[in-house]
Amino acid sequence: MGVIPEGHTLFVVDIEYVVPFEQIEPVLEPHMAFVKQGYADGHFLCSGPKNPRTGGIVIAIGESLAVIEALMAEDPFVSAGVVKVQITEFAASNRHPALV
């Protein structure tokens, strides 16, 4: 089995801060626990902050857009209302051999 399971696709999750970073900081630790769990559960392929630090990007793996939307609704950033999330599904028709 490859990195991307059969029947799954990739999603770009674009996270944008909608409040000053001082309001992000108190939610950062719970958000990072959520991210760690996302990797443990096989939902996340890579992630990190944008530069400049106006939010972050997650490359997620899922069966459908609805699954990833439901997952991201559990992010403490989202439940605290400190971010806006844009999720884009894409067909990875070209892949590095490590992703096959």
Side-chain angles (χ1 to χ4, degrees):
M1 177 166 75
V3 173
I4 304 167
E6 186 70 33
H8 289 61
T9 190
L10 295 176
F11 299 84
V12 176
V13 181
D14 187 341
I15 300 167
E16 181 181 339
Y17 301 149
V18 295
V19 297
F21 191 73
E22 297 76 37
Q23 292 175 299
I24 297 292
E25 287 179 307
V27 192
L28 198 52
E29 189 174 320
H31 165 74
M32 292 311 298
F34 166 80
V35 170
K36 183 177 180 180
Q37 189 63 51
Y39 280 104
D41 293 341
H43 297 298
F44 297 157
L45 184 59
C46 62
S47 62
K50 294 179 188 178
N51 186 13
R53 196 164 186 178
T54 57
I57 299 289
V58 177
I59 304 299
I61 304 167
E63 295 176 18
S64 68
L65 178 59
V67 167
I68 299 303
E69 287 173 334
L71 173 66
M72 293 310 299
E74 297 174 12
D75 184 344
F77 275 176
V78 172
S79 57
V82 298
V83 300
K84 178 179 86 174
V85 175
Q86 173 76 37
I87 303 171
T88 305
E89 181 175 356
F90 73 100
S93 56
N94 299 293
R95 301 179 190 180
H96 186 280
L99 296 177
V100 176

